[in-house]
Amino acid sequence: MATTTSIIVLLKFFASRQNSAIIDFGEFCEYLKRYSEHHLEEQPSLVVYLSDTPGTLQKELEKLVHTKQVLLISVTPEKRTIIVIPFFIEKFTSRYKEILSNPQIPFPLEIDIPKKIPNEIVTRKAAAELMNQLLTNEEINDKSLYGIVLPNTAPTVLFPSTLPIQKLIECCLLKLRTMLSKEEHHDYFQKKLTVSNPGREMTAKNFFNKFVQHPEAGLQMLKVPEDAFYFLTQLCFFIRQDYEKVKDFTQEDMSILQSVYIIEIAANFYKNKAHENNKKETALKTLEQLLHKPPYYFTFETITKFTAQSGVPLLGQYSEEELKNFLHTKTTESNANELPQLLVFKTESEQRFFIYKSKVLPLILRLCTDARTTIRETIKKHWFKVLKDFDTLPEMKEQNAFEKRLEKEVRIQSPILYSLLNSSFLHLINYESTSEDDYSGTKLSLFENGKLIPYSDILLMNRQELFTDAKIILPVWYSIPIISWIIKLIMKPPKSKSKAAHKNATELYHEKEAENSKHDAEEAILSKNPTVSKKVAFREAARNIEASIVPSSSTLDRELDSYEHQWNKLIGKETHKNLTEDVNALIRDYTRKVLRTLNATSFTPERIQSLAENLAKTPTVQKIGELDALTMYIQLYMVKLVKNIPM
């Protein structure tokens, strides 16, 4: 053997040379000392075993005892014995290789271990527990000799950790196939299987022949729970039923029964695993569907809170690690010269969002429509205030300054839109949308000569028109030159050195909501009426839902208006208004009925989503179309109704 300083290797070599796992401590000390003297020049580290061989060996053995590789038994104070567990592991590894060549050889049992060897060398575990553990996460090593405790007092099967558990299953299938190939068993069990499956006799017969004739078929049948899996488990049931009735077991009978027990446990594992995989795949498909629904862009935290239609969280049907792998795959894998299906973008606050490529342009179109109204009103009010103070701004007369003002407003009031317009992938998406037919159903050209078109074109906003609109609402004397000049001299305020911080409409809205929430809490404390407390609880629950489904850069009314324009496509002003009012009335009636039996604690984002989906499924609502946008609108309108419940 090659020179080594590993005590366990030397112990295994010494045990194999004397063909016994029981080694006398004194004899091994002498061998170790002679070995060290002989190989000292090759391995100088062996010098530690020359002076105090028993003491040094004792320390090494204590480490091996701790890792359960050896047992150290003190027979008398002077006589000690070393039990080398890897000796049996190697021995039974060879036994399993022999079984694969000759299925008639029985499984190794505890009686195959000499009586003088303590039972501690075997790591006993229930068959189901051990096999599930090894099939899930198996480590191949030479450190354990497992005792597989089978049901119904069947003898414990020994299995070394040097082999994958698949080898044990293969041995069991081989034993069954060998037994079924015998004439007296072949026809008997084939008949039982075909009789038990009326109308499917030929399928059962084909399965039986395939299982008996093709050695590799059995394991595949176990791993894929389909028709063959059903027939195999049924066949095992018939064999077990017959063999458990036997009173005087031969060695072969016991091996068959042990094989059936092990195969049934493996079948149950693969069945559960297939069920979990199907459950996971269904959950991932649901996740994919939810990512295609409004608002189309989601943070990782939001995605982890997705629920199925039944209200059960999707996270749990797949692990967080599997979710990360799914998102990573979707955001990295793609066809040649194409973007991945799922894209990632960041806002200026470093918040990461996921969005499907097919939803980018429709979302930009919706956000532009939404932002246009808000930004137009913000700029118009600001310009009106400036003009009223007899002042002007560069953006009123210069297009470049106007474009910068629009960009600033988009960045503040619609950070998602701003991030998408400045994303690295938008140019490619825009190219695909103009070069491919019917891509996402949205034809929107955002680039000209390789550059993003001006914000005034994106928002369909004209500087001259906006300036005119701001001037129109000024008092009439501002349009009379002489009078306006005199008033300007008298009324124009001095220019302030420091400008007050400008708050946009969204910030003002959130401040007002915070005040309303505080006012409601105070009223609930002061009021002794339980009805008031219940209404306050509902209003606060609605505000919490609003915070989870309305982006922080937007408001509830803005989102309602935006989604309304998506599902209500009637052109006539009156008909458009009537349809909206009809839908609102339907939501009001539905919400009123629901609130009678609902508690504030159960009024959650998941619950309101479920209610909205149920209402959207009604025949009347389904006729409208655009169900995703309409479902989101129903959720938002229900929140608005509950949030504004009168005290």
Side-chain angles (χ1 to χ4, degrees):
M1 63 173 288
T3 307
T4 180
T5 56
S6 173
I7 293 299
I8 188 64
V9 173
L10 291 173
L11 284 168
K12 286 195 285 186
F13 174 73
F14 194 81
S16 63
R17 193 174 68 173
Q18 65 178 23
N19 195 27
S20 173
I22 305 170
I23 298 174
D24 181 75
F25 183 87
E27 288 181 14
F28 187 72
C29 278
E30 291 177 12
Y31 166 77
L32 181 59
K33 189 172 183 179
R34 290 197 308 272
Y35 179 88
S36 300
E37 289 171 349
H38 185 70
H39 295 286
L40 185 60
E41 290 184 7
E42 299 169 41
Q43 287 286 329
S45 58
L46 291 169
V47 70
V48 296
Y49 299 113
L50 295 177
S51 57
D52 182 17
T53 308
T56 308
L57 177 60
Q58 179 69 28
K59 291 177 183 177
E60 293 289 335
L61 289 175
E62 285 172 359
K63 295 177 186 176
L64 295 174
V65 169
H66 181 70
T67 56
K68 296 183 179 179
Q69 290 182 276
V70 301
L71 286 179
L72 193 58
I73 302 170
S74 297
V75 182
T76 65
E78 295 79 22
K79 185 175 177 62
R80 283 177 290 173
T81 304
I82 306 167
I83 309 297
V84 184
I85 299 174
F87 174 83
F88 292 106
I89 293 175
E90 289 180 0
K91 179 182 177 181
F92 295 133
T93 299
S94 301
R95 173 81 69 86
Y96 277 98
K97 291 176 181 177
E98 291 170 7
I99 292 173
L100 288 171
S101 302
N102 180 11
Q104 302 294 336
I105 297 172
F107 289 119
L109 306 176
E110 286 184 311
I111 57 173
D112 294 330
I113 299 174
K115 291 181 180 180
K116 59 178 80 172
I117 303 293
N119 292 333
E120 288 90 330
I121 71 165
V122 179
T123 305
R124 288 176 184 76
K125 280 191 178 181
E129 180 189 352
L130 179 62
M131 289 185 65
N132 287 345
Q133 174 192 324
L134 296 179
L135 286 168
T136 303
N137 185 22
E138 186 169 43
E139 289 184 12
I140 307 299
N141 55 54
D142 61 350
K143 296 180 180 179
S144 300
L145 180 62
Y146 296 116
I148 303 176
V149 182
L150 297 170
N152 294 344
T153 66
T156 298
V157 172
L158 299 179
F159 185 73
S161 60
T162 48
L163 293 173
I165 194 67
Q166 300 279 1
K167 288 294 179 185
L168 174 62
I169 300 170
E170 285 178 27
C171 289
C172 295
L173 291 167
L174 183 61
K175 283 180 177 293
L176 248 64
R177 192 164 50 249
T178 305
M179 181 269 289
L180 292 171
S181 61
K182 294 178 181 178
E183 189 175 344
E184 65 273 19
H185 295 300
H186 182 281
D187 295 341
Y188 171 73
F189 283 110
Q190 185 184 66
K191 186 177 180 181
K192 284 196 81 168
L193 191 65
T194 52
V195 169
S196 300
N197 292 276
R200 304 182 68 192
E201 291 87 353
M202 189 55 68
T203 308
K205 188 175 180 180
N206 290 338
F207 151 76
F208 190 88
N209 291 331
K210 183 179 179 182
F211 176 73
V212 173
Q213 294 169 12
H214 299 279
E216 74 288 345
L219 197 57
Q220 186 61 28
M221 290 171 180
L222 271 180
K223 290 183 177 180
V224 184
E226 293 177 352
D227 281 353
F229 175 87
Y230 166 75
F231 287 127
L232 179 57
T233 52
Q234 195 177 35
L235 179 62
C236 285
F237 171 75
F238 292 142
I239 296 170
R240 174 166 57 83
Q241 199 177 41
D242 278 21
Y243 272 78
E244 282 180 345
K245 294 175 184 177
V246 176
K247 292 182 180 178
D248 297 321
F249 284 103
T250 63
Q251 201 173 53
E252 184 183 354
D253 292 340
M254 184 50 68
S255 289
I256 294 298
L257 192 56
Q258 289 170 325
S259 298
V260 170
Y261 286 144
I262 291 168
I263 291 170
E264 287 184 326
I265 291 167
N268 193 49
F269 170 83
Y270 286 119
K271 181 182 176 182
N272 291 337
K273 186 178 178 182
H275 177 69
E276 286 174 9
N277 287 339
N278 289 336
K279 199 174 170 183
K280 182 173 71 177
E281 286 173 15
T282 304
L284 289 173
K285 285 179 182 176
T286 305
L287 168 66
E288 209 164 348
Q289 291 169 0
L290 291 172
L291 287 171
H292 277 89
K293 291 187 175 183
Y296 306 129
Y297 58 97
F298 306 93
T299 62
F300 180 77
E301 290 72 24
T302 307
I303 292 171
T304 58
K305 295 175 183 175
F306 280 170
T307 59
Q309 247 183 340
S310 58
V312 178
L314 294 180
L315 189 62
Q317 298 177 54
Y318 47 71
S319 66
E320 188 169 324
E321 190 63 32
E322 287 168 336
L323 172 59
K324 288 178 180 177
N325 291 338
F326 170 82
L327 294 174
H328 177 73
T329 302
K330 287 288 182 182
T331 53
T332 54
E333 292 185 0
S334 63
N335 297 327
N337 302 320
E338 284 188 9
L339 285 168
Q341 290 301 309
L342 191 64
L343 303 173
V344 182
F345 69 93
K346 279 185 179 182
T347 59
E348 287 187 323
S349 61
E350 293 299 312
Q351 200 171 15
R352 294 172 75 247
F353 290 91
F354 295 88
I355 183 170
Y356 265 94
K357 180 173 68 172
S358 59
K359 298 299 180 182
V360 172
L361 292 182
L363 177 61
I364 288 176
L365 190 60
R366 178 176 81 79
L367 293 176
C368 283
T369 306
D370 180 22
R372 182 180 185 277
T373 306
T374 310
I375 292 172
R376 182 181 174 82
E377 284 302 310
T378 301
I379 295 176
K380 189 171 80 170
K381 286 179 182 178
H382 183 220
W383 284 7
F384 167 75
K385 186 179 178 182
V386 171
L387 291 170
K388 194 176 180 183
D389 291 339
F390 299 98
D391 204 351
T392 59
L393 295 169
E395 64 203 46
M396 296 177 180
K397 297 178 181 179
E398 298 173 13
Q399 189 63 28
N400 286 340
F402 180 64
E403 295 295 344
K404 288 180 182 178
R405 173 64 190 274
L406 289 178
E407 183 178 357
K408 179 185 174 184
E409 290 295 335
V410 170
R411 187 171 68 247
I412 294 170
Q413 304 213 45
S414 188
I416 300 298
L417 175 60
Y418 183 78
S419 299
L420 287 172
L421 291 175
N422 290 277
S423 62
S424 57
F425 52 72
L426 184 60
H427 195 289
L428 290 171
I429 292 177
N430 187 78
Y431 173 77
E432 289 180 15
S433 71
T434 53
S435 61
E436 295 179 11
D437 293 331
D438 248 346
Y439 181 87
S440 77
T442 305
K443 295 294 181 181
L444 179 66
S445 181
L446 293 170
F447 290 85
E448 191 175 303
N449 298 324
K451 292 184 179 180
L452 188 70
I453 61 175
Y455 278 84
S456 57
D457 291 339
I458 293 172
L459 298 172
L460 301 175
M461 206 174 292
N462 186 283
R463 178 177 56 83
Q464 300 281 3
E465 288 180 6
L466 190 57
F467 186 56
T468 303
D469 290 346
K471 287 174 65 178
I472 285 174
I473 56 178
L474 288 168
V476 67
W477 57 78
Y478 279 78
S479 60
I480 304 172
I482 297 173
I483 297 175
S484 64
W485 180 76
I486 295 169
I487 295 173
K488 178 180 179 181
L489 290 175
I490 301 169
M491 298 182 63
K492 184 178 179 181
K495 288 188 177 181
S496 175
K497 290 184 180 180
S498 60
K499 293 183 179 179
H502 174 63
K503 291 184 179 180
N504 59 47
T506 306
E507 290 173 331
L508 293 171
Y509 171 80
H510 288 305
E511 285 180 5
K512 185 180 177 183
E513 283 301 306
E515 288 176 9
N516 290 341
S517 178
K518 186 178 179 182
H519 177 266
D520 285 351
E522 290 173 355
E523 191 164 343
I525 294 169
L526 295 172
S527 176
K528 295 180 180 179
N529 190 340
T531 306
V532 173
S533 299
K534 184 180 178 182
K535 289 179 178 179
V536 168
F538 266 114
R539 287 170 69 155
E540 194 57 35
R543 289 192 186 97
N544 292 335
I545 295 171
E546 180 185 358
S548 68
I549 64 176
V550 175
S552 57
S553 59
S554 186
T555 65
L556 181 60
D557 288 333
R558 277 172 61 183
E559 292 296 303
L560 276 167
D561 188 60
S562 176
Y563 284 111
E564 180 194 338
H565 284 89
Q566 286 187 64
W567 63 262
N568 191 345
K569 296 183 178 180
L570 296 181
I571 298 173
K573 185 177 180 181
E574 196 63 33
T575 54
H576 183 98
K577 181 181 176 182
N578 290 340
L579 178 58
T580 301
E581 184 50 42
D582 288 344
V583 170
N584 289 349
L586 185 64
I587 300 170
R588 283 196 297 271
D589 292 341
Y590 181 66
T591 306
R592 196 179 296 114
K593 291 176 183 176
V594 167
L595 290 180
R596 289 173 188 167
T597 57
L598 198 66
N599 294 323
T601 52
S602 59
F603 194 65
T604 60
E606 293 77 19
R607 179 61 171 153
I608 204 168
Q609 181 184 350
S610 175
L611 293 170
E613 287 173 351
N614 289 338
L615 183 58
K617 287 177 183 176
T618 58
T620 307
V621 176
Q622 283 192 328
K623 291 177 183 177
I624 298 172
E626 296 292 341
L627 290 182
D628 285 346
L630 186 53
T631 303
M632 198 68 191
Y633 178 86
I634 293 169
Q635 291 183 58
L636 293 166
Y637 195 72
M638 288 176 76
V639 168
K640 183 176 181 178
L641 291 173
V642 176
K643 197 176 73 169
N644 294 316
I645 291 176
M647 290 295 187

